[in-house]
Amino acid sequence: TFSAIAAYSEAVDIEAIMQGASGETPYSEIDQATLSWIRDELQIIGVEESTHSLLAWRALSWVCDIDLHVCEMVWENVMTKRNLEKALKTRLGLNFEGKC
């Protein structure tokens, strides 16, 4: 899910630059045709990552329906506050308070 959000966010930033937004970004010196291609690819990546995320959540739901013990292990060992904070920081550049 975080990869999808990050891809979408980058695509929005590129669109803003293409519409004339100013400011120093990694995309500032790239021509419009290349920016358009990058934006389109990031939008595709966002959709694909969203699909992968949905599949993962469905798989977890299925596991939880089949084996409660395994489900509890996943929630206790994988879906921890620490792991979520790490994912937020890594993927979105956010700290544990939700700030950039």
Side-chain angles (χ1 to χ4, degrees), residues 2 81 84-90 92-100:
F2 296 133
K81 180 180 177 186
L84 179 57
E85 288 173 356
K86 181 180 176 186
L88 286 168
K89 183 177 181 180
T90 301
L92 301 177
L94 299 176
N95 64 28
F96 66 94
E97 296 173 352
K99 299 177 184 174
C100 294

Side-chain angles (χ1 to χ4, degrees), residues 72-90:
E72 289 171 351
M73 287 179 54
V74 169
W75 283 102
E76 291 172 5
N77 297 298
V78 178
M79 307 300 257
T80 64
K81 180 180 177 186
R82 179 175 171 259
N83 286 347
L84 179 57
E85 288 173 356
K86 181 180 176 186
L88 286 168
K89 183 177 181 180
T90 301

Side-chain angles (χ1 to χ4, degrees), residues 2-97:
F2 296 133
S3 296
I5 295 168
Y8 176 77
S9 178
E10 286 291 314
V12 168
D13 289 347
I14 290 171
E15 183 64 31
I17 291 166
M18 293 175 66
Q19 298 300 321
S22 61
E24 191 62 34
T25 75
Y27 305 107
S28 299
E29 303 298 321
I30 300 174
D31 65 89
Q32 290 285 319
T34 303
L35 282 175
S36 180
W37 177 82
I38 294 170
R39 180 204 57 213
D40 294 348
E41 292 299 312
L42 285 168
Q43 289 171 339
I44 291 168
I45 290 168
V47 169
E48 290 177 353
E49 290 296 328
S50 294
T51 302
H52 296 154
S53 176
L54 179 60
L55 179 60
W57 284 108
R58 284 182 178 168
L60 180 58
S61 177
W62 173 77
V63 166
C64 289
D65 287 344
I66 301 297
D67 190 330
L68 185 58
H69 176 70
V70 171
C71 182
E72 289 171 351
M73 287 179 54
V74 169
W75 283 102
E76 291 172 5
N77 297 298
V78 178
M79 307 300 257
T80 64
K81 180 180 177 186
R82 179 175 171 259
N83 286 347
L84 179 57
E85 288 173 356
K86 181 180 176 186
L88 286 168
K89 183 177 181 180
T90 301
R91 302 293 177 117
L92 301 177
L94 299 176
N95 64 28
F96 66 94
E97 296 173 352

